[in-house]
Amino acid sequence: MKKSMLLLLAGLFSCAAQAAVSGYPVVLVHGFQPDNLQSKPTGAQVSNNGADYWAQYWRDRADERIDWPSQERVADKITSQYVWPKLQQMSRDGTCANGCVFVSHSTGDLVTRYIIDNQALWLQNAGLQPLNIVATFDFAGAGGGVELADLAVNVANGSGLINSAVKLAVSLWLGATPSSSNIGVLNDLRVNSARQLASFPDSRVPRLRFAGAGSDFLGTTGAFLPGEDDGVVASHSSCGAASASSYNSCSRSVAFDGKLTSVSGPSAFMPYHYPMLMSEGYSHNDTIGSSAKDEVTTANNSSAYLNGDNIKFTTYDEKRGWWIFSSRYRVVSNSKRASMSSLVYQAAN
């Protein structure tokens, strides 16, 4: 009896240890879910959608999720009805008492920035302890806005220059043509709107960025996105650049495919935003998947958390090509076999 109880406890502690990075609890914040604009989920369905969103890799490696419906606005019902109750619960439970890491995808990057900018004041005013967020891992981050959202709002409102190519790109992304009654968080995702929402948070939480430059739409949406993109988000946003512009990498010396060369990359970034992993073959959703899609390289191979702890990726350089036509490429070790999310999780542990 005692032996079986010990085995059970050992299993429970093993699962608890897995649901963390560097011993820090993981809090997931998912991204935009286009089908929400039509289905308008509430209650348990919002939670079910959140669980499904992360099912491929991160769901079983997380301790908490902040689920929210995409038919609402960030500073309105998303915060008051979904974010705020969860923040109170995590504070009371002491989830982040010894530090925690937020993992976001896509629009979750923008929601997380709004949380980081406000959570301490909100919780203090409620007589609760602020969350100790030591870092965020932001995959395909849309915190710098999404040009497709600008197009979608124009299509929905019948404004701007709208043609069949625009409607096709928007419908491929959303799965339907939007109307003025169902654009929700797309309003917040417009480039100017996103960049004005909590753009200079007082908190110094490091925002670690992981970006792709593939596409699931055969380049159709990319025609409307400046520079390199992942089919949904342009690199100025996923890299965390200080301004919306046409960039071909998150680095000025390493391309998305790992080639060591001079390339058009940001010279400045949003406060405390640090690009780390990049890959030419990962599309928007691939970054949080469980399958390796392409080799991965680094814009920066290490970064510190708020409390001084560190995450570091092991890389190697290799020569490709022949004679004067050869070039050098930087590759993250094991990236031919492990997904981008898996590489991050392994490095963090």
Side-chain angles (χ1 to χ4, degrees):
M1 182 71 173
K2 288 183 178 179
K3 183 178 180 181
S4 62
M5 181 61 72
L6 287 172
L7 288 172
L8 175 61
L9 288 173
L12 289 174
F13 281 120
S14 175
C15 290
Q18 185 186 31
V21 292
S22 301
Y24 299 117
V26 172
V27 181
L28 303 178
V29 187
H30 66 72
F32 173 60
Q33 301 183 82
D35 62 292
N36 285 186
L37 300 181
Q38 301 291 335
S39 62
K40 296 184 176 4
T42 58
Q45 190 55 51
V46 174
S47 179
N48 292 338
N49 289 346
D52 291 342
Y53 192 100
W54 295 103
Q56 277 199 50
Y57 188 85
W58 284 99
R59 183 180 64 190
D60 297 332
R61 293 172 172 83
D63 301 82
E64 293 285 358
R65 294 194 321 272
I66 297 178
D67 304 323
W68 54 275
S70 297
Q71 75 270 18
E72 305 295 352
R73 300 289 301 275
V74 173
D76 190 14
K77 290 184 179 179
I78 290 174
T79 293
S80 63
Q81 296 185 13
Y82 298 91
V83 171
W84 175 230
K86 196 68 178 183
L87 296 181
Q88 294 176 79
Q89 175 219 308
M90 289 193 293
S91 178
R92 293 189 176 104
D93 291 346
T95 303
C96 299
N98 296 315
C100 62
V101 171
F102 273 49
V103 175
S104 78
H105 179 248
S106 190
T107 311
D109 169 31
L110 183 61
V111 175
T112 298
R113 192 168 79 223
Y114 194 66
I115 291 171
I116 287 172
D117 194 35
N118 293 287
Q119 63 91 13
L121 180 61
W122 291 342
L123 289 167
Q124 286 172 343
N125 287 343
L128 296 169
Q129 186 68 26
L131 306 184
N132 178 18
I133 306 170
V134 298
T136 72
F137 297 167
D138 303 309
F139 292 88
V146 180
E147 282 77 6
L148 292 177
D150 288 272
L151 295 179
V153 172
N154 287 342
V155 169
N157 294 327
S159 59
L161 182 62
I162 302 170
N163 55 38
S164 57
V166 170
K167 289 184 177 180
L168 174 60
V170 169
S171 63
L172 282 173
W173 177 40
L174 300 180
T177 302
S179 66
S180 57
S181 63
N182 67 345
I183 50 179
V185 78
L186 290 176
N187 282 302
D188 300 311
L189 276 178
R190 290 178 295 172
V191 174
N192 287 338
S193 299
R195 287 183 170 274
Q196 291 172 14
L197 185 68
S199 55
F200 295 100
D202 291 331
S203 173
R204 300 172 65 88
V205 175
R207 311 296 310 279
L208 310 185
R209 321 290 290 180
F210 309 99
S215 177
D216 294 324
F217 306 117
L218 300 176
T220 302
T221 53
F224 301 96
L225 300 171
E228 289 283 2
D229 65 86
D230 62 16
V232 174
V233 175
S235 56
H236 72 77
S237 183
S238 59
C239 298
S243 61
S245 189
S246 179
Y247 299 117
N248 293 323
S249 176
C250 298
S251 166
R252 305 182 81 180
S253 59
V254 186
F256 262 101
D257 64 357
K259 185 176 181 179
L260 301 179
T261 184
S262 178
V263 63
S264 172
S267 59
F269 296 89
M270 297 180 72
Y272 317 115
H273 285 53
Y274 307 102
M276 299 200 72
L277 298 188
M278 308 183 294
S279 179
E280 190 175 52
Y282 278 78
S283 69
H284 188 68
N285 291 328
D286 288 337
T287 58
I288 57 168
S290 57
S291 300
K293 297 296 182 180
D294 195 8
E295 290 180 338
V296 175
T297 190
T298 56
N300 295 284
N301 72 341
S302 66
S303 185
Y305 300 162
L306 186 62
N307 62 356
D309 283 350
N310 198 59
I311 182 173
K312 184 175 183 178
F313 296 93
T314 302
T315 64
Y316 61 91
D317 292 354
E318 64 180 20
K319 185 170 73 171
R320 299 176 187 173
W322 178 73
W323 196 36
I324 61 172
F325 307 104
S326 66
S327 299
R328 297 196 68 82
Y329 288 77
R330 181 157 296 156
V331 182
V332 174
S333 298
N334 200 41
S335 64
K336 293 179 181 179
R337 295 179 293 276
S339 70
M340 184 178 287
S341 281
S342 180
L343 292 170
V344 173
Y345 185 77
Q346 291 168 14
N349 283 292

